[in-house]
Amino acid sequence: MQNDINRMLKLAIGAVVFSSYLGLYATPRYDVGILLIPILVLAIMPLAERLDRSSRSYRTFTSALTFLLVIALPVLLNVINLLDAVTALVIYIQVYSLLHQKQLRNYHHILLMSFFLLLAASVLTPTSLIGIVLLLFVMSGAWALILIEMLEGAAPANQSGDVEIVGLRADNLQLQRRQSKLLDVRMTGWILACTAGVLAFSAILFFASPRLEAGLFGAADSDMVLTGLSRDINLAGGGGNIIQDTSAVMQVKFPEEVDGRFDGEM
């Protein structure tokens, strides 16, 4: 049963990780190449976990990379801006966790790094694709957290030294077969209900949060701010929409030119 939970958890974690990079792709700063990172990392993750379990050289190599990154971090901050440097550091931490053996805390680290990447994408003026990304992130994140709790609950039972002797009668075999199922109807319904509750809470929170560009509950903002000259400056106007005012505010004439217009270089 624990192996089944592990397999399903890795699928959910993969969806969470991919959705965070899809959020970066939804911004103008990153192109489709950013999606190669989760695709390649998730593809080689099983091999990397086996290497981490059996090869000391692999662990030494990845530790050396981490040491070099720590040394080069001040230089990196001078070469690129702070947001890109923090994003690159978060990506490295996430990739490092994905390419090593995982305990429960490592799954939490991966989820946290995915949330940080999505947070970075949210401040880079993403396109409407971010709506699909958030839906995928919320659903896969809810499944991942539920499976982590199931894995944590199943771990003490597997570590226990107690031995249960079960007879080999047909009814006992049938009972064991039923108990070996990971998700029965009630468990599946409970997980789906939790996922629906998380989605409903996210939707309510989104619509209830005031947004300056759209007004409360998405109502249109009737206050339009025009560029140009005015007699007073209102500093308490909030974050209304700004549109360009094309009306003329000054006219210049050259008396020595025909019609007062100068068409040469200035």
Side-chain angles (χ1 to χ4, degrees):
M1 179 177 179
Q2 190 174 11
N3 292 332
D4 294 336
I5 298 177
N6 267 314
R7 285 193 292 267
M8 294 186 63
L9 178 57
K10 288 180 179 180
L11 289 175
I13 289 293
V16 171
V17 171
F18 185 79
S19 65
S20 63
Y21 287 88
L22 194 62
L24 293 177
Y25 170 66
T27 66
R29 184 170 298 187
Y30 297 94
D31 57 11
V32 71
I34 195 68
L35 298 179
L36 293 178
I37 297 177
I39 293 174
L40 293 177
V41 170
L42 294 174
I44 66 176
M45 184 175 67
L47 175 61
E49 288 178 335
R50 287 195 294 269
L51 288 175
D52 183 40
R53 186 166 49 249
S54 60
S55 175
R56 183 177 180 181
S57 300
Y58 177 80
R59 295 191 295 269
T60 303
F61 174 72
T62 55
S63 299
L65 282 181
T66 303
F67 179 73
L68 292 176
L69 178 63
V70 172
I71 296 177
L73 189 58
V75 179
L76 186 65
L77 290 174
N78 291 328
V79 174
I80 60 179
N81 60 60
L82 180 60
L83 181 59
D84 289 338
V86 172
T87 303
L89 181 61
V90 169
I91 290 176
Y92 179 80
I93 295 173
Q94 185 187 69
V95 170
Y96 184 91
S97 299
L98 288 169
L99 296 183
H100 288 78
Q101 296 184 82
K102 300 171 186 61
Q103 304 296 328
L104 291 177
R105 64 177 182 274
N106 300 120
Y107 288 116
H108 288 289
H109 293 165
I110 295 171
L111 290 174
L112 185 61
M113 295 303 107
S114 299
F115 174 76
F116 285 160
L117 291 180
L118 198 60
L119 186 63
S122 65
V123 300
L124 294 175
T125 60
T127 63
S128 57
L129 178 63
I130 197 65
I132 300 177
V133 171
L134 291 175
L135 180 64
L136 176 62
F137 184 86
V138 169
M139 293 182 63
S140 56
W143 274 80
L145 289 174
I146 292 172
L147 291 170
I148 288 174
E149 291 297 323
M150 293 175 62
L151 187 62
E152 186 175 8
N158 292 335
Q159 297 173 359
S160 175
D162 298 335
V163 177
E164 181 181 1
I165 300 176
V166 180
L168 296 180
R169 298 194 311 270
D171 54 347
N172 286 332
L173 291 176
Q174 186 67 22
L175 176 62
Q176 292 296 318
R177 189 178 297 112
R178 289 198 301 268
Q179 290 178 347
S180 65
K181 294 174 60 178
L182 173 62
L183 297 177
D184 55 10
V185 176
R186 289 184 301 176
M187 179 62 71
T188 304
W190 181 76
I191 294 179
L192 291 177
C194 290
T195 305
V198 171
L199 289 175
F201 176 77
S202 302
I204 293 174
L205 186 64
F206 173 77
F207 286 110
S209 299
R211 298 180 296 280
L212 293 177
E213 72 278 4
L216 188 62
F217 298 109
D221 190 0
S222 60
D223 295 332
M224 303 296 293
V225 180
L226 297 178
T227 61
L229 301 178
S230 62
R231 296 184 176 215
D232 55 356
I233 299 177
N234 183 12
L235 297 179
N241 295 325
I242 300 177
I243 62 175
Q244 183 180 7
D245 185 4
T246 58
S247 59
V249 296
M250 182 173 63
Q251 187 178 35
V252 178
K253 291 186 177 182
F254 296 85
E256 64 275 10
E257 301 293 335
V258 180
D259 296 331
R261 300 181 59 182
F262 178 74
D263 297 326
E265 291 188 13
M266 300 184 67

